[in-house]
Amino acid sequence: MATQPRVVLIGAGIVGCALADELTARGWTDITVLEQGPLFATGGSSSHAPGLVFQTTGCKTMTSFAKYTVEKYTALTLDDQWCFQQLGGLEVATTPERWTDLKRRHGWATSWGVEAFLRDPEECARLHPLLDPAKILGGFHIPTDGLAKPLRAAEAQARRAMERGAKFLAHHKVTGIERTGRRVKAVVTEHDTFAADIVVSCVGMWGQRIGRMVDLDIPLVPMAHQYAKTAPLPALKGVNDDLYEMSKPLLRHQDADLYFREHVDRIGIGAYGHRPMPISADDILDFDVAPTMPSEIAFTPEDFETSWDAAVDLLPALGDSKVEEGINGLFSFTPDGNPLLGEHPGLDGFWVAEAVWITHSAGVARAMAEWLVDGQPGIDLHGCDLNRFEDVQRSPGYVHERSCQSFVEVYDILHPLQPAQRPRPLRTSPFHERQVELGAVFLEASGWERPHWYEANANLPEVAEIPERNEWASRFWSPIAGAEALVARKRVAMFDMTPLKRLEVSGPEALTFLQTMTTNQLDRKPGAVVYTLLLDEDGGVRSDLTIARLGENRFQVGANGPLDLDWLRRRLPPNGGVHIADITPGTCCIGLWGPEARNLLQPLTKDDFSHEAMGYFKAKQTFIGDVPVTAMRLSYVGELGWELYTTADMGRRLWDTLWEAGQEHGVIAAGRSAFTSMRLEKGYRSWGADVTTEHDPFEAGLGFAVRMNKGYFHGRKALEGRAEDTVTRKLSCLTIDDDYQVVMGSEPVFFDGNAVGYVTSAARGYSIGKNIAYAWLPAEVAVVGTPVEIEYFGERVQAVVAAEPLFDPEMKRIRS
């Protein structure tokens, strides 16, 4: 029998307790939980959290966390007392914009398998009699939402863990972490040293303190959030008792940044409408010196005045009361609002589970336990992975600015394309100056300024061909984008591809390493380019890569982001035979695509760029004018063309060379919006949106990138016996005939009246004259010609399963 690892969990808040429970349930019992405060009111965020659990967000992963939290805590008791009441959650709208958004949220709930209802004002008032129905337009009701008792749930889980052998030690403040080389060795407290093979930091708002002990910047900011309790309300007298506290649904009034719950005969009010109140982790008081507890700082009544007025307006009964007490409670915010889960990139065995709210606590703990015990989590965690951020996104200024913005936007109506405003610009390509001259409209991702369309193209006659679309889809969009897509199909366009992650893998064992890590055959002559996949051990798609063999021992890898780099680095052979470098910051790329691409490019180089000399998926190192270039004959938009890479110092010269030569060919600059439309017309998948670790290659329509006969590769065993004809679900192409209804993603798909799937990516297909949506559907529904419906803001949009690709299915244009 294998020896169990020695596990030390730092922090006995609800995350540490839930993780101890999940680990011991899986047979890991050599677990020590260290807590700097008492058990179980530790003084962290769990100790003051009001316990509201609203399950639905636009993120499938976060909703899955919350669903499991509800399921688990509903079944928990502590000394015969409940840990979770399924009272339901009710979100109300007081503006037309919010009412429209609640319909969108209803779609999310349906997509992720949470039963939900849209209620009219009278139904809302019956559910929550303190509401004034005249003040609202309607509500979004989830019967399974409810109230958690965080300290009870924490202790109940801790007791189960202790029964299985885990130890919980109070008043053991961690003062250091010992390591041997790249591995964690022990955790040191004020009283003792605890040997450890695995350490998990679950300390929430103290995360940065623990991170510094292992040279890890943990990108979170402790933030104060106001919570007040009223004096006793006459309207609640005798309604509730000390055992159950509440009888009405949890209530959210997001138009005013408020939420409400009952405390027997009083009302608790949480507010996000005040100014951000960040605090340094170093300024959080220790338990023994804090006036109440470390996570509570003094209430600031002046910040609550506007919130109180809005609360009274919605719940008139509050006018008979007043704010009797309040706190500014601390909890953790991150730059994108998601938790931080995963392993230290430079210290094996040191893990974090931070910035986790009560709502997601049990779900996070289950995923972390699966990750630790089984080697990978059961659901896609790429949006929560500690290592998802680029270096610039971990700078103190960036983390502070974006975390404050996350606080401000907690209840905002956010468009999926809506960029943050500060700090910008951060990362710009060498073409940025030229793009500004052309009136580029920039959105932002991973710190990069990315042109979505160019105002210089406003006078293109094709603009008049672009149909109007619904108001939501018109945000962060212009008909110019459609014209750019049409011109790229007719003539030629330059796309800035610089933000895509580029790695160089080199060394005597580079080929062997990449062969074992990916699914396709890479043992080809230098100059070959291969599309391939990274898989999890169970065959789920971790990423898709484009790998060019530039020399016998040198490869350029087109990746999806920092997680790919982290995944590959962790698996490098220990003998130093492979080296990986992130070359993105020092390089740039122009995608030159369209029927005129070769006519534009060939006069600029002495090398032969004919189809016979340089076929599809081939690479060549050459000169374009005076610029040294790595040219790859690839196209993510389905047109003849090349990805042209050069060093950052030569980027502007490359742009100018192509731009000047392209004038006689009608060249334009085209943005990301046109790019997305064109790639969906060709059926090209976007990892992280269309495909994640929850899907295997055959389900995703990527089986062509798997070579089972090439020998061992990571995840191969899991794919044995699988094929496209054995799958039970498929990523499917849908077309929508209604020009006006451009959907945006995450909407539910219905067949025969039942919700059967959800949309991943969507756009207008300008060349085919139809709106496109890709969606996950059961295999029996994913049959060409099957009519389905998409729920879009509460209405049903007719769609049909279509054969893919929609554009140039014979691939004549791309191979011309």
Side-chain angles (χ1 to χ4, degrees), residues 59 61 65 336 338-339 341 371 377 379-389 541-542 560 563-564 686-694:
C59 174
T61 296
F65 288 158
D336 59 9
N338 279 358
L341 313 176
W371 205 346
I379 62 173
D380 167 44
L381 294 185
H382 83 273
C384 303
D385 196 300
L386 167 70
N387 299 298
R388 66 188 180 270
F389 297 110
V541 181
R542 263 203 81 82
N560 280 298
L563 292 180
D564 294 345
S686 175
W687 188 87
D690 301 316
V691 184
T692 71
T693 54
E694 296 179 8

Side-chain angles (χ1 to χ4, degrees), residues 425 427-438 440 442 449-451 496 652 655:
R427 309 176 80 184
T428 57
S429 78
F431 323 130
H432 186 73
E433 183 180 354
R434 296 296 187 248
Q435 293 166 342
V436 170
E437 291 169 356
L438 292 171
F442 294 99
E449 295 296 316
R450 306 177 77 166
D496 183 0
R652 194 165 76 171
W655 180 282

Side-chain angles (χ1 to χ4, degrees), residues 563-804:
L563 292 180
D564 294 345
L565 177 59
D566 180 66
W567 177 262
L568 293 172
R569 277 182 171 165
R570 290 181 189 277
R571 288 157 179 79
L572 285 172
N575 61 6
V578 182
H579 177 70
I580 300 179
D582 182 357
I583 62 173
T584 313
T587 57
C588 57
C589 178
I590 293 174
L592 184 73
W593 292 309
E596 288 291 307
R598 181 179 288 116
N599 294 334
L600 187 162
L601 197 59
Q602 185 61 76
L604 300 175
T605 179
K606 294 181 179 180
D607 285 304
D608 188 352
F609 272 62
S610 68
H611 181 64
E612 293 73 21
M614 188 181 185
Y616 191 50
F617 267 81
K618 297 296 182 183
K620 180 179 294 186
Q621 292 177 294
T622 184
F623 285 87
I624 303 298
D626 298 323
V627 182
V629 163
T630 299
M632 298 186 195
R633 189 161 170 209
L634 308 173
S635 176
Y636 204 47
V637 299
E639 291 293 336
L640 168 68
W642 288 264
E643 293 179 359
L644 303 171
Y645 297 89
T646 191
T647 51
D649 60 320
M650 295 300 294
R652 194 165 76 171
R653 185 61 176 264
L654 176 62
W655 180 282
D656 290 347
T657 299
L658 296 172
W659 186 256
E660 181 179 347
Q663 294 309 300
E664 64 179 285
H665 301 284
V667 72
I668 64 166
R672 187 74 183 179
S673 185
F675 177 90
T676 299
S677 167
M678 297 172 77
R679 72 104 177 158
L680 283 176
E681 288 181 328
K682 286 298 294 180
Y684 295 147
R685 278 59 169 148
S686 175
W687 188 87
D690 301 316
V691 184
T692 71
T693 54
E694 296 179 8
H695 313 109
D696 77 29
F698 304 109
E699 296 171 326
L702 298 175
F704 65 88
V706 177
R707 295 289 183 270
M708 294 294 286
N709 62 355
K710 77 164 188 172
Y712 169 80
F713 58 83
H714 194 81
R716 182 188 184 282
K717 184 174 178 57
L719 296 186
E720 292 177 357
R722 301 191 203 181
E724 290 184 10
D725 59 1
T726 67
V727 302
T728 59
R729 59 179 177 174
K730 289 184 179 180
L731 183 62
S732 307
C733 177
L734 310 179
T735 57
I736 304 165
D737 287 328
D738 186 342
D739 290 344
Y740 189 68
Q741 299 293 12
V742 180
V743 302
M744 301 297 293
S746 298
E747 298 89 358
V749 180
F750 288 79
F751 172 72
D752 199 21
N754 299 311
V756 294
Y758 60 90
V759 173
T760 58
S761 295
R764 174 69 179 177
Y766 301 106
S767 304
I768 65 167
K770 290 185 178 182
N771 293 331
I772 306 167
Y774 270 77
W776 281 99
L777 297 176
E780 63 271 20
V781 177
V783 177
V784 173
T786 302
V788 296
E789 296 177 310
I790 301 171
E791 181 183 323
Y792 194 50
F793 291 97
E795 299 180 358
R796 298 287 176 89
V797 176
Q798 303 299 313
V800 64
V801 179
E804 55 174 337

Side-chain angles (χ1 to χ4, degrees), residues 10-11 32-38 168-175 187-194:
I10 307 174
T32 303
V33 184
L34 303 174
E35 172 53 51
Q36 65 177 347
F168 280 71
L169 302 176
H171 304 294
H172 271 66
K173 183 177 181 178
V174 172
T175 58
V187 178
V188 182
T189 73
E190 296 169 312
H191 307 297
D192 207 346
T193 297
F194 299 86

Side-chain angles (χ1 to χ4, degrees), residues 54-58 89-95 97-99 101-105 108 131 136 138-142 145 250-260 270-273 307 310 314 407-414:
F54 289 90
Q55 296 170 79
T56 303
T57 73
L90 180 64
E91 303 174 14
V92 295
T94 59
T95 64
E97 294 78 14
R98 182 67 62 179
W99 180 228
D101 191 59
L102 293 185
K103 295 175 183 177
R104 179 174 67 134
R105 294 177 64 78
W108 290 345
L131 275 170
I136 61 176
F140 170 49
H141 178 219
I142 298 181
D145 286 347
L250 312 176
L251 180 63
R252 284 207 282 206
H253 177 19
Q254 289 143 305
D255 285 320
D257 296 300
L258 294 173
Y259 64 81
F260 305 85
Y272 289 102
S307 297
L314 184 71
F407 177 89
V408 170
E409 293 176 347
V410 164
Y411 284 168
D412 285 0
I413 299 171
L414 298 176

Side-chain angles (χ1 to χ4, degrees), residues 14 47 115 156-157 174 274 297 342 387 421 502 549:
I14 198 164
S47 301
E115 186 182 40
Q157 292 173 99
V174 172
H274 55 79
I297 57 180
N387 299 298
Q421 297 305 308
R502 290 175 294 285
R549 191 173 191 179

Side-chain angles (χ1 to χ4, degrees), residues 365-556:
R366 177 175 66 171
M368 288 294 295
E370 291 169 342
W371 205 346
L372 291 166
V373 176
D374 303 329
Q376 60 190 44
I379 62 173
D380 167 44
L381 294 185
H382 83 273
C384 303
D385 196 300
L386 167 70
N387 299 298
R388 66 188 180 270
F389 297 110
E390 298 280 359
D391 287 346
V392 68
Q393 296 175 292
R394 292 194 294 269
S395 73
Y398 185 98
V399 171
H400 182 273
E401 187 81 47
R402 291 293 172 94
S403 296
C404 287
Q405 190 66 27
S406 291
F407 177 89
V408 170
E409 293 176 347
V410 164
Y411 284 168
D412 285 0
I413 299 171
L414 298 176
H415 191 276
L417 294 177
Q418 185 170 332
Q421 297 305 308
R422 297 185 307 274
R424 289 179 64 188
L426 275 178
R427 309 176 80 184
T428 57
S429 78
F431 323 130
H432 186 73
E433 183 180 354
R434 296 296 187 248
Q435 293 166 342
V436 170
E437 291 169 356
L438 292 171
V441 176
F442 294 99
L443 301 183
E444 183 264 358
S446 300
W448 285 103
E449 295 296 316
R450 306 177 77 166
H452 273 241
W453 68 88
Y454 293 84
E455 290 296 329
N457 295 325
N459 294 324
L460 289 170
E462 289 82 1
V463 172
E465 301 176 28
I466 308 306
E468 293 183 358
R469 53 172 65 188
N470 63 75
E471 188 275 335
W472 185 248
S474 294
R475 299 185 190 184
F476 306 101
W477 173 85
S478 168
I480 297 171
E484 291 173 358
L486 293 176
V487 170
R489 295 267 190 238
K490 293 177 183 177
R491 301 197 297 271
V492 62
M494 293 164 55
F495 294 81
D496 183 0
M497 307 302 290
T498 301
L500 301 183
K501 177 71 77 177
R502 290 175 294 285
L503 311 175
E504 183 174 88
V505 180
S506 60
E509 296 182 25
L511 174 61
T512 302
F513 172 68
L514 289 173
Q515 280 280 73
T516 61
M517 294 306 301
T518 68
T519 60
N520 212 334
Q521 178 57 261
L522 301 179
D523 190 5
R524 307 182 187 203
K525 294 179 180 179
V529 184
V530 177
Y531 177 83
T532 188
L533 308 174
L534 292 178
L535 301 184
D536 267 345
E537 196 62 47
D538 68 353
V541 181
R542 263 203 81 82
S543 188
D544 60 344
L545 309 175
T546 302
I547 300 180
R549 191 173 191 179
L550 302 181
E552 286 295 326
N553 299 316
R554 185 165 70 92
F555 297 80
Q556 182 170 310

